[in-house]
Amino acid sequence: MNFEAGTFIHQSKTYQSAFLLEANYFTKLFNIGNWKIRQFVNPKFVLGVNRQDIIGDELNINEQNGLAGFNAALYGTSKALLSLQTQTYSPYALWGFRLNPFFNYTAAVMGSPTNAMTNSKLYSKVTLGLVINNDYLVFSSFQLSLSYYPSIPLQGDNVFKTNTFETTDYKLQDFELNKPRVVNYR
């Protein structure tokens, strides 16, 4: 888990406050016959208080900041995301390539001072794909995937995209103590 809080103080008032709470969880490796399977869960919550009223100081749920492949002019001061991924690991190799199917579901909601997250529309993405690994290549893994978006503002409903993103890399959190920095408000 990771929790960050930060603010600027001027004349005893706080400005541009940011709060971030995120977690990475994954199950142990399960066996189903010769196959292995693991579930990843990644929730994230970001809240901004007394932020500047400019687009450069607002949150979005585009690409790396939310739903991969999603690109819409939606901005706010708070957001909640939940990403669930089921990753399978094949026991078989074809010419040195391992084909590992995965399923990903990600949902995101935005909020602003005038529109709470509880009253906002939920945007989501469902992806099916293959992670293809070969330890003998320079680029040891790549993927083929198909994503479905029920709705993307200004793009339409029931949108399909191929190879829209790479699977989320669920790395362990860095537990090293570092110098203070500004909260990553994205």
Side-chain angles (χ1 to χ4, degrees):
M1 278 184 94
N2 180 38
F3 174 73
E4 298 179 23
T7 191
F8 293 101
I9 300 173
H10 178 68
Q11 296 179 349
S12 300
K13 292 184 181 180
T14 60
Y15 296 93
Q16 291 184 277
S17 301
F19 302 92
L20 168 69
L21 175 64
E22 63 184 334
N24 287 326
Y25 173 78
F26 54 91
T27 63
K28 68 178 189 172
L29 207 53
F30 292 101
N31 291 320
I32 299 178
N34 290 335
W35 288 74
K36 298 195 183 305
I37 189 169
R38 176 171 275 154
Q39 180 67 45
F40 295 91
V41 180
N42 181 236
K44 183 175 184 178
F45 177 75
V46 183
L47 173 67
V49 180
N50 293 333
R51 303 299 299 191
Q52 292 181 359
D53 192 18
I54 57 174
I55 289 178
D57 192 40
E58 291 185 322
L59 298 169
N60 66 56
I61 54 174
N62 297 339
E63 293 300 328
Q64 292 86 16
N65 299 321
L67 299 170
F70 187 92
N71 192 6
L74 295 176
Y75 300 98
T77 56
S78 61
K79 70 178 175 180
L81 294 147
L82 177 63
S83 181
L84 306 170
Q85 183 164 316
T86 302
Q87 181 68 58
T88 63
Y89 304 95
S90 172
Y92 309 108
L94 179 65
W95 300 305
F97 291 92
R98 289 184 312 279
L99 308 175
N100 301 314
F102 70 91
F103 169 78
N104 179 281
Y105 175 77
T106 305
V109 66
M110 296 285 301
S112 66
T114 59
N115 190 23
M117 279 194 291
T118 55
N119 297 332
S120 296
K121 182 175 181 173
L122 179 74
Y123 295 98
S124 61
K125 171 188 65 66
V126 177
T127 301
L128 286 173
L130 284 174
V131 175
I132 302 167
N133 292 341
N134 188 324
D135 296 332
Y136 301 108
L137 297 177
V138 174
F139 299 102
S140 63
S141 69
F142 59 95
Q143 78 170 35
L144 301 172
S145 63
L146 177 67
S147 297
Y148 168 72
Y149 302 82
S151 176
I152 300 178
L154 303 176
Q155 289 187 28
D157 295 333
N158 303 318
V159 177
F160 285 90
K161 293 187 178 186
T162 58
N163 291 336
T164 56
F165 73 104
E166 294 180 7
T167 58
T168 304
D169 188 6
Y170 292 99
K171 294 181 181 176
L172 292 175
Q173 295 286 336
D174 182 7
F175 295 105
E176 188 176 311
L177 295 175
N178 292 319
K179 63 183 177 181
R181 63 173 175 79
V182 175
V183 174
N184 201 358
Y185 185 68
R186 302 193 243 157

